[in-house]
């Protein structure tokens, strides 16, 4: 059974730092991997989607990488800002049914 | 922009009640999903639907049922609410991926 783990569970950094959030999964036969952002009391917003054949995706200050063989993905946030404070969730899909398996998230606080 | 609307942000019900959570999307998406989110457990899939009147069980369907009579609306039903169903419930829709989420319903069962 696929399990998705995110470490650390919480992270606090000063504004301007570059940071890396980690996601690992136990079954490497994934269909794709997504990173989401969740603000307190809100739903999820999709940030980046990486297909199983891709190595990375970029959007603005965000870069997500995927290493299927080692069961790992990282989300890199450049020049962090207080507005980046949120919980970041990683999720994998095992097939084209679009069902997602989520990690528990990393709660990020960027201090001014 | 895709809009997924959940009918209630907060809901308080009593044990044994039949509870309906409603979700509506405005983009003609085939796929709709219901998740619950609990601290330390993350999001877990309850049910999903890939077409009108079609449904499939997710990872934790026990105690829940769903209804999809129209493409834009997906309802989650707690047949007889219990305290262990107190949680945040999130609805999502998608044509393929990524999924678009509503803001959630925080449900408390007393």
């Amino acid at each position: 059974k696929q399990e998705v783990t995110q470490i650390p569970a919480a992270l606090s950094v000063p504004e301007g730092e570059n940071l890396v959030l980690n996601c690992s999964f136990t079954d490497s036969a994934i269909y794709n991997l997504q990173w989401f952002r969740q603000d307190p009391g809100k739903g999820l917003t999709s940030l980046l989607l990486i297909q199983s054949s891709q190595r990375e995706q970029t959007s603005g200050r965000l870069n997500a990488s995927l290493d299927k063989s080692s069961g790992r993905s990282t989300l890199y946030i450049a020049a962090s800002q207080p507005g980046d404070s949120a919980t970041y969730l990683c999720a994998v899909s095992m097939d084209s049914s679009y069902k997602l398996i989520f990690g528990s998230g990393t709660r990020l606080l960027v201090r001014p | 922009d895709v809009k997924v609307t959940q009918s209630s942000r907060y809901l308080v019900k009593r044990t044994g009640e039949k509870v309906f959570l409603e979700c509506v999307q405005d983009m003609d998406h085939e796929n709709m999903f219901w998740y619950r989110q609990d601290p330390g457990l993350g999001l877990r899939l309850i049910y999903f639907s890939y077409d009108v009147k079609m449904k499939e069980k997710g990872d934790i369907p026990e105690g829940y049922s769903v209804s999809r009579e129209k493409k834009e609306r997906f309802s989650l039903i707690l047949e007889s609410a219990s305290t262990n169903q107190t949680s945040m419930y999130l609805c999502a829709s998608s044509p393929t991926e990524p999924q678009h989420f509503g803001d959630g319903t925080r449900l408390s069962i007393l």
Side-chain angles (χ1 to χ4, degrees), chain A residues 4-75:
Chain A
V4 181
T5 303
Q6 292 185 248
I7 294 174
L11 184 62
S12 178
V13 300
E15 182 177 4
E17 264 200 21
N18 302 324
L19 59 99
V20 174
L21 306 182
N22 296 296
C23 172
S24 61
F25 44 93
T26 55
D27 184 347
S28 62
I30 64 171
Y31 187 73
N32 61 39
L33 181 144
Q34 296 182 61
W35 283 93
F36 291 87
R37 169 187 172 134
Q38 185 176 30
D39 292 294
K42 294 285 192 177
L44 280 65
T45 300
S46 179
L47 298 173
L48 291 164
L49 183 153
I50 311 177
Q51 300 293 348
S52 61
S53 58
Q54 297 175 320
R55 297 282 292 184
E56 64 177 344
Q57 283 285 337
T58 298
S59 176
R61 294 183 293 108
L62 305 179
N63 175 275
S65 67
L66 174 63
D67 184 344
K68 264 184 60 174
S69 60
S70 67
R72 292 182 183 182
S73 176
T74 61
L75 179 66

Coordinates of all heavy atoms in Angstrom, one line a residue, chain A residues 4-75:
Chain A
V4 N 2.8 8.0 1.8 CA 3.5 9.3 1.5 C 3.8 10.0 2.8 O 3.0 10.2 3.7 CB 2.6 10.2 0.6 CG1 3.3 11.5 0.3 CG2 2.1 9.4 -0.6
T5 N 5.1 10.3 2.9 CA 5.6 11.0 4.1 C 6.2 12.3 3.8 O 7.0 12.4 2.8 CB 6.7 10.0 4.8 OG1 6.1 8.8 5.0 CG2 7.2 10.6 6.1
Q6 N 6.0 13.3 4.6 CA 6.6 14.6 4.5 C 7.3 15.0 5.7 O 6.8 14.9 6.8 CB 5.5 15.7 4.2 CG 4.8 15.4 2.8 CD 3.9 16.5 2.5 OE1 2.7 16.3 2.4 NE2 4.4 17.7 2.2
I7 N 8.6 15.4 5.5 CA 9.4 15.8 6.6 C 10.1 17.1 6.2 O 10.6 17.2 5.0 CB 10.5 14.7 6.8 CG1 9.8 13.5 7.4 CG2 11.6 15.2 7.8 CD1 10.8 12.3 7.5
P8 N 10.2 18.1 7.1 CA 9.7 18.1 8.5 C 8.2 18.3 8.5 O 7.6 18.8 7.5 CB 10.4 19.2 9.1 CG 10.6 20.2 8.1 CD 10.8 19.4 6.8
A9 N 7.6 18.1 9.7 CA 6.1 18.4 9.8 C 5.9 19.9 9.9 O 4.9 20.4 9.6 CB 5.6 17.7 11.1
A10 N 6.9 20.6 10.5 CA 6.8 22.1 10.6 C 8.2 22.7 10.4 O 9.2 22.1 10.7 CB 6.3 22.5 12.0
L11 N 8.2 23.9 9.8 CA 9.4 24.6 9.5 C 9.2 26.1 9.7 O 8.2 26.7 9.2 CB 9.8 24.3 8.1 CG 11.1 24.8 7.5 CD1 12.3 24.2 8.2 CD2 11.2 24.4 6.0
S12 N 10.2 26.8 10.3 CA 10.1 28.2 10.5 C 11.4 28.8 10.0 O 12.5 28.4 10.4 CB 9.9 28.5 12.0 OG 9.9 30.0 12.2
V13 N 11.3 29.8 9.1 CA 12.5 30.4 8.5 C 12.3 31.9 8.4 O 11.2 32.4 8.4 CB 12.7 29.8 7.1 CG1 12.9 28.3 7.1 CG2 11.6 30.2 6.1
P14 N 13.5 32.6 8.4 CA 13.3 34.1 8.2 C 13.1 34.4 6.7 O 13.5 33.6 5.8 CB 14.7 34.6 8.6 CG 15.6 33.4 8.4 CD 14.8 32.2 8.7
E15 N 12.5 35.5 6.5 CA 12.1 35.9 5.2 C 13.4 36.0 4.3 O 14.5 36.4 4.8 CB 11.5 37.3 5.2 CG 11.1 37.9 3.9 CD 10.4 39.3 4.1 OE1 10.3 39.7 5.2 OE2 9.9 39.8 3.1
G16 N 13.3 35.6 3.0 CA 14.4 35.7 2.1 C 15.2 34.4 2.0 O 15.9 34.3 1.0
E17 N 15.0 33.5 2.9 CA 15.7 32.2 2.8 C 15.2 31.4 1.6 O 14.0 31.4 1.3 CB 15.6 31.4 4.1 CG 16.8 31.6 5.0 CD 16.9 30.5 6.0 OE1 16.3 29.4 5.8 OE2 17.5 30.8 7.0
N18 N 16.1 30.6 1.0 CA 15.7 29.5 0.1 C 15.4 28.3 0.9 O 16.2 28.0 1.9 CB 16.8 29.3 -0.9 CG 17.1 30.5 -1.7 OD1 16.2 31.3 -2.1 ND2 18.4 30.7 -2.1
L19 N 14.4 27.5 0.6 CA 14.1 26.4 1.4 C 13.6 25.2 0.6 O 13.2 25.4 -0.5 CB 13.1 26.7 2.5 CG 11.7 27.3 2.0 CD1 10.7 26.2 2.0 CD2 11.3 28.4 2.9
V20 N 13.7 24.0 1.2 CA 13.4 22.8 0.5 C 12.4 22.0 1.4 O 12.7 21.7 2.6 CB 14.6 21.9 0.2 CG1 14.2 20.6 -0.3 CG2 15.5 22.7 -0.8
L21 N 11.3 21.6 0.8 CA 10.4 20.7 1.5 C 10.5 19.3 0.9 O 10.6 19.2 -0.3 CB 8.9 21.2 1.4 CG 8.7 22.7 1.8 CD1 7.3 23.0 1.7 CD2 9.2 22.9 3.2
N22 N 10.4 18.3 1.7 CA 10.7 16.9 1.2 C 9.4 16.1 1.3 O 8.5 16.2 2.1 CB 11.7 16.2 2.1 CG 13.0 16.9 2.0 OD1 13.7 17.0 0.9 ND2 13.5 17.5 3.1
C23 N 9.3 15.2 0.3 CA 8.2 14.2 0.2 C 8.8 12.9 -0.2 O 9.6 12.8 -1.2 CB 7.2 14.7 -0.8 SG 5.9 13.6 -1.2
S24 N 8.4 11.8 0.4 CA 8.9 10.5 0.0 C 7.7 9.6 -0.1 O 6.7 9.7 0.6 CB 9.9 9.9 1.0 OG 9.3 9.8 2.3
F25 N 7.8 8.6 -1.0 CA 6.7 7.6 -1.2 C 7.3 6.2 -1.3 O 8.4 6.0 -1.7 CB 5.8 8.0 -2.4 CG 6.6 8.4 -3.6 CD1 7.0 7.5 -4.6 CD2 7.0 9.7 -3.8 CE1 7.7 7.9 -5.7 CE2 7.7 10.1 -4.9 CZ 8.1 9.2 -5.9
T26 N 6.5 5.2 -0.8 CA 7.1 3.9 -0.7 C 7.0 3.1 -2.0 O 7.8 2.2 -2.2 CB 6.3 3.1 0.4 OG1 4.9 3.2 0.1 CG2 6.6 3.7 1.8
D27 N 6.0 3.3 -2.8 CA 5.9 2.6 -4.1 C 6.2 3.5 -5.3 O 5.5 4.5 -5.5 CB 4.4 2.1 -4.2 CG 4.2 1.3 -5.5 OD1 5.1 1.2 -6.4 OD2 3.1 0.6 -5.6
S28 N 7.3 3.2 -6.0 CA 7.8 4.1 -7.0 C 7.0 4.1 -8.3 O 7.2 4.9 -9.2 CB 9.3 3.8 -7.3 OG 9.3 2.5 -7.9
A29 N 6.0 3.2 -8.4 CA 5.2 3.1 -9.6 C 4.1 4.1 -9.7 O 2.9 3.8 -9.9 CB 4.6 1.7 -9.8
I30 N 4.4 5.4 -9.5 CA 3.4 6.4 -9.5 C 3.0 6.9 -10.9 O 3.8 6.7 -11.8 CB 3.8 7.6 -8.6 CG1 5.1 8.3 -9.2 CG2 4.1 7.2 -7.2 CD1 5.4 9.6 -8.6
Y31 N 1.8 7.4 -11.0 CA 1.4 8.0 -12.3 C 1.8 9.4 -12.4 O 2.2 9.9 -13.4 CB -0.2 7.8 -12.3 CG -0.8 8.2 -13.6 CD1 -0.6 7.4 -14.8 CD2 -1.6 9.4 -13.7 CE1 -1.3 7.8 -16.0 CE2 -2.2 9.7 -14.9 CZ -2.0 8.9 -16.0 OH -2.6 9.3 -17.2
N32 N 1.6 10.2 -11.3 CA 2.1 11.5 -11.2 C 2.2 12.0 -9.7 O 1.8 11.2 -8.8 CB 1.3 12.5 -12.0 CG -0.1 12.6 -11.6 OD1 -0.4 12.6 -10.4 ND2 -1.0 12.8 -12.5
L33 N 2.7 13.1 -9.5 CA 2.9 13.7 -8.1 C 2.5 15.2 -8.2 O 2.8 15.9 -9.1 CB 4.3 13.5 -7.7 CG 4.6 14.0 -6.2 CD1 5.6 13.1 -5.6 CD2 5.1 15.4 -6.2
Q34 N 1.8 15.6 -7.2 CA 1.4 17.0 -7.1 C 1.8 17.6 -5.8 O 1.8 16.9 -4.7 CB -0.1 17.1 -7.2 CG -0.7 16.6 -8.6 CD -2.2 16.8 -8.7 OE1 -2.7 17.9 -8.6 NE2 -2.9 15.7 -8.8
W35 N 2.1 18.9 -5.8 CA 2.2 19.7 -4.6 C 1.1 20.7 -4.5 O 0.7 21.3 -5.5 CB 3.6 20.5 -4.7 CG 4.8 19.6 -4.4 CD1 5.6 19.0 -5.3 CD2 5.3 19.3 -3.1 NE1 6.6 18.3 -4.7 CE2 6.4 18.5 -3.3 CE3 5.0 19.7 -1.8 CZ2 7.2 18.1 -2.3 CZ3 5.8 19.3 -0.8 CH2 6.9 18.4 -1.0
F36 N 0.5 20.8 -3.3 CA -0.6 21.7 -3.0 C -0.2 22.6 -1.9 O 0.7 22.3 -1.1 CB -1.8 20.9 -2.6 CG -2.5 20.0 -3.6 CD1 -2.1 18.7 -3.8 CD2 -3.5 20.5 -4.4 CE1 -2.7 17.9 -4.8 CE2 -4.2 19.7 -5.3 CZ -3.7 18.4 -5.5
R37 N -0.9 23.7 -1.8 CA -0.8 24.7 -0.7 C -2.1 24.8 -0.1 O -3.2 24.8 -0.7 CB -0.3 26.0 -1.3 CG -0.4 27.1 -0.3 CD -0.2 28.5 -0.9 NE -0.5 29.5 0.1 CZ 0.3 30.5 0.3 NH1 1.4 30.7 -0.3 NH2 0.0 31.4 1.2
Q38 N -2.1 24.8 1.3 CA -3.4 25.0 2.0 C -3.2 26.1 3.1 O -2.4 26.0 3.9 CB -3.8 23.7 2.7 CG -5.2 23.8 3.4 CD -5.6 22.5 4.0 OE1 -4.8 21.6 4.4 NE2 -6.9 22.3 4.1
D39 N -4.0 27.1 2.9 CA -4.0 28.2 3.9 C -5.0 27.8 5.0 O -5.9 27.0 4.8 CB -4.4 29.5 3.3 CG -3.4 30.0 2.3 OD1 -2.3 30.3 2.8 OD2 -3.6 30.0 1.1
P40 N -4.8 28.3 6.2 CA -5.6 27.9 7.4 C -7.1 28.1 7.1 O -7.6 29.1 6.6 CB -5.2 28.9 8.5 CG -3.8 29.3 8.1 CD -3.7 29.3 6.6
G41 N -7.9 27.0 7.4 CA -9.3 27.1 7.2 C -9.8 27.0 5.8 O -11.0 27.3 5.5
K42 N -8.9 26.8 4.9 CA -9.2 26.8 3.4 C -9.0 25.5 2.8 O -8.4 24.5 3.4 CB -8.3 27.9 2.7 CG -8.6 29.3 3.2 CD -9.8 29.8 2.6 CE -9.9 31.3 2.8 NZ -11.2 31.9 2.2
G43 N -9.4 25.4 1.5 CA -9.2 24.2 0.7 C -7.8 24.2 0.2 O -6.9 25.0 0.6
L44 N -7.5 23.3 -0.7 CA -6.2 23.1 -1.3 C -6.1 23.8 -2.7 O -7.0 23.8 -3.4 CB -5.8 21.7 -1.5 CG -5.4 20.9 -0.3 CD1 -6.4 20.7 0.8 CD2 -4.9 19.5 -0.7
T45 N -4.9 24.4 -2.9 CA -4.6 25.0 -4.2 C -3.4 24.3 -4.8 O -2.4 24.1 -4.2 CB -4.2 26.5 -4.0 OG1 -5.3 27.2 -3.4 CG2 -3.9 27.1 -5.4
S46 N -3.6 23.8 -6.1 CA -2.6 23.1 -6.7 C -1.5 24.0 -7.1 O -1.7 25.1 -7.7 CB -3.1 22.4 -8.0 OG -2.1 21.7 -8.7
L47 N -0.2 23.6 -6.8 CA 1.0 24.4 -7.2 C 1.7 23.9 -8.4 O 1.9 24.6 -9.3 CB 1.9 24.4 -6.0 CG 1.4 25.1 -4.7 CD1 2.4 24.9 -3.6 CD2 1.1 26.6 -4.9
L48 N 2.0 22.6 -8.3 CA 2.8 22.0 -9.4 C 2.4 20.5 -9.6 O 2.1 19.9 -8.6 CB 4.3 22.0 -9.1 CG 4.9 23.4 -9.2 CD1 6.3 23.4 -8.5 CD2 5.1 23.9 -10.6
L49 N 2.3 20.1 -10.8 CA 2.1 18.7 -11.1 C 3.2 18.1 -11.9 O 3.6 18.7 -12.9 CB 0.7 18.5 -11.8 CG 0.2 17.1 -12.1 CD1 -1.3 17.1 -12.3 CD2 0.8 16.6 -13.4
I50 N 3.8 17.0 -11.5 CA 4.9 16.4 -12.2 C 4.4 15.0 -12.7 O 4.0 14.1 -11.9 CB 6.1 16.2 -11.4 CG1 6.5 17.5 -10.6 CG2 7.3 15.7 -12.2 CD1 7.7 17.3 -9.7
Q51 N 4.4 14.8 -14.0 CA 4.1 13.5 -14.6 C 5.2 12.5 -14.3 O 6.4 12.9 -14.0 CB 3.9 13.6 -16.1 CG 2.7 14.5 -16.5 CD 1.4 14.0 -16.1 OE1 1.2 12.9 -15.6 NE2 0.4 14.8 -16.2
S52 N 4.9 11.2 -14.3 CA 5.9 10.2 -13.9 C 7.2 10.2 -14.8 O 8.3 9.9 -14.4 CB 5.3 8.8 -13.9 OG 4.8 8.5 -15.2
S53 N 7.0 10.7 -16.1 CA 8.1 10.8 -17.0 C 8.9 12.0 -16.9 O 10.0 12.1 -17.6 CB 7.5 10.7 -18.4 OG 6.6 11.7 -18.7
Q54 N 8.5 13.0 -16.1 CA 9.2 14.2 -15.9 C 10.1 14.2 -14.7 O 9.9 13.4 -13.8 CB 8.2 15.4 -15.8 CG 7.3 15.6 -17.0 CD 6.3 16.6 -16.8 OE1 5.7 16.7 -15.7 NE2 6.0 17.4 -17.9
R55 N 11.1 15.1 -14.7 CA 12.0 15.2 -13.6 C 11.8 16.4 -12.7 O 12.1 16.4 -11.5 CB 13.5 15.3 -14.1 CG 13.9 14.1 -14.9 CD 14.3 13.0 -14.0 NE 15.5 13.2 -13.2 CZ 16.0 12.4 -12.4 NH1 15.5 11.2 -12.3 NH2 17.1 12.6 -11.8
E56 N 11.2 17.5 -13.4 CA 10.9 18.7 -12.6 C 9.9 19.6 -13.3 O 9.7 19.4 -14.5 CB 12.2 19.5 -12.3 CG 12.9 20.0 -13.5 CD 14.1 20.9 -13.1 OE1 14.2 21.2 -11.9 OE2 14.9 21.2 -14.0
Q57 N 9.3 20.5 -12.4 CA 8.4 21.5 -12.9 C 8.7 22.8 -12.2 O 9.1 22.7 -11.0 CB 6.9 21.1 -12.7 CG 6.4 20.0 -13.7 CD 6.1 20.6 -15.1 OE1 5.9 21.8 -15.2 NE2 6.1 19.8 -16.1
T58 N 8.5 23.9 -12.9 CA 8.8 25.2 -12.3 C 7.6 26.1 -12.5 O 7.0 26.1 -13.5 CB 10.1 25.8 -12.9 OG1 11.2 24.9 -12.6 CG2 10.3 27.2 -12.3
S59 N 7.4 26.9 -11.4 CA 6.4 28.0 -11.5 C 6.8 29.1 -10.7 O 6.8 29.0 -9.4 CB 5.0 27.5 -11.1 OG 4.0 28.5 -11.1
G60 N 7.3 30.2 -11.3 CA 7.7 31.3 -10.5 C 8.9 31.0 -9.6 O 9.9 30.5 -10.0
R61 N 8.7 31.2 -8.3 CA 9.8 30.9 -7.3 C 9.8 29.5 -6.9 O 10.5 29.1 -6.0 CB 9.6 31.8 -6.1 CG 9.9 33.3 -6.4 CD 9.7 34.2 -5.2 NE 8.4 34.2 -4.6 CZ 8.0 33.6 -3.5 NH1 8.9 32.9 -2.8 NH2 6.8 33.7 -3.1
L62 N 8.9 28.7 -7.4 CA 8.7 27.3 -7.0 C 9.3 26.3 -8.0 O 9.1 26.5 -9.2 CB 7.2 26.9 -6.8 CG 6.4 27.8 -5.8 CD1 5.0 27.3 -5.8 CD2 7.0 27.8 -4.5
N63 N 10.0 25.3 -7.5 CA 10.5 24.3 -8.4 C 10.3 23.0 -7.7 O 10.8 22.8 -6.5 CB 12.0 24.5 -8.7 CG 12.6 23.4 -9.5 OD1 13.1 22.4 -8.9 ND2 12.7 23.5 -10.8
A64 N 9.7 22.0 -8.4 CA 9.5 20.7 -7.8 C 10.3 19.7 -8.6 O 10.2 19.7 -9.9 CB 8.0 20.4 -7.8
S65 N 11.0 18.8 -7.9 CA 11.7 17.8 -8.6 C 11.1 16.4 -8.2 O 10.5 16.2 -7.2 CB 13.2 17.8 -8.3 OG 13.3 17.5 -6.9
L66 N 11.4 15.4 -9.1 CA 10.9 14.1 -8.9 C 12.0 13.1 -9.2 O 12.5 13.1 -10.3 CB 9.6 13.8 -9.7 CG 9.1 12.4 -9.7 CD1 8.6 12.0 -8.3 CD2 8.0 12.2 -10.7
D67 N 12.2 12.2 -8.3 CA 13.1 11.1 -8.5 C 12.4 9.8 -8.1 O 12.3 9.4 -7.0 CB 14.4 11.2 -7.6 CG 15.4 10.1 -7.9 OD1 15.0 9.1 -8.5 OD2 16.5 10.2 -7.4
K68 N 11.7 9.2 -9.2 CA 10.9 8.1 -9.0 C 11.6 6.9 -8.4 O 11.1 6.2 -7.5 CB 10.2 7.7 -10.3 CG 8.9 8.2 -10.6 CD 8.3 7.7 -11.9 CE 8.2 6.2 -11.8 NZ 7.5 5.7 -13.0
S69 N 12.8 6.6 -8.9 CA 13.5 5.4 -8.5 C 13.8 5.4 -7.0 O 13.8 4.4 -6.4 CB 14.8 5.3 -9.3 OG 15.6 6.4 -9.1
S70 N 14.1 6.6 -6.4 CA 14.3 6.7 -5.0 C 13.1 7.0 -4.2 O 13.2 7.1 -3.0 CB 15.4 7.7 -4.7 OG 15.0 9.0 -5.0
G71 N 12.0 7.2 -4.9 CA 10.7 7.5 -4.2 C 10.8 8.9 -3.5 O 10.3 9.0 -2.3
R72 N 11.3 9.9 -4.1 CA 11.4 11.2 -3.5 C 11.0 12.3 -4.4 O 11.2 12.3 -5.6 CB 12.8 11.4 -3.0 CG 13.3 10.5 -1.9 CD 14.7 10.8 -1.4 NE 15.1 9.9 -0.4 CZ 16.3 10.0 0.2 NH1 17.1 10.9 -0.1 NH2 16.6 9.1 1.1
S73 N 10.5 13.4 -3.8 CA 10.2 14.7 -4.5 C 10.6 15.8 -3.5 O 10.5 15.6 -2.3 CB 8.8 14.8 -4.9 OG 8.5 16.1 -5.5
T74 N 11.1 16.9 -4.1 CA 11.3 18.1 -3.3 C 10.6 19.3 -3.9 O 10.5 19.4 -5.1 CB 12.8 18.3 -3.2 OG1 13.4 18.6 -4.5 CG2 13.6 17.2 -2.5
L75 N 10.2 20.1 -3.0 CA 9.7 21.4 -3.4 C 10.6 22.5 -2.9 O 10.8 22.6 -1.7 CB 8.3 21.7 -2.9 CG 7.6 23.0 -3.2 CD1 7.3 23.1 -4.7 CD2 6.3 23.2 -2.4

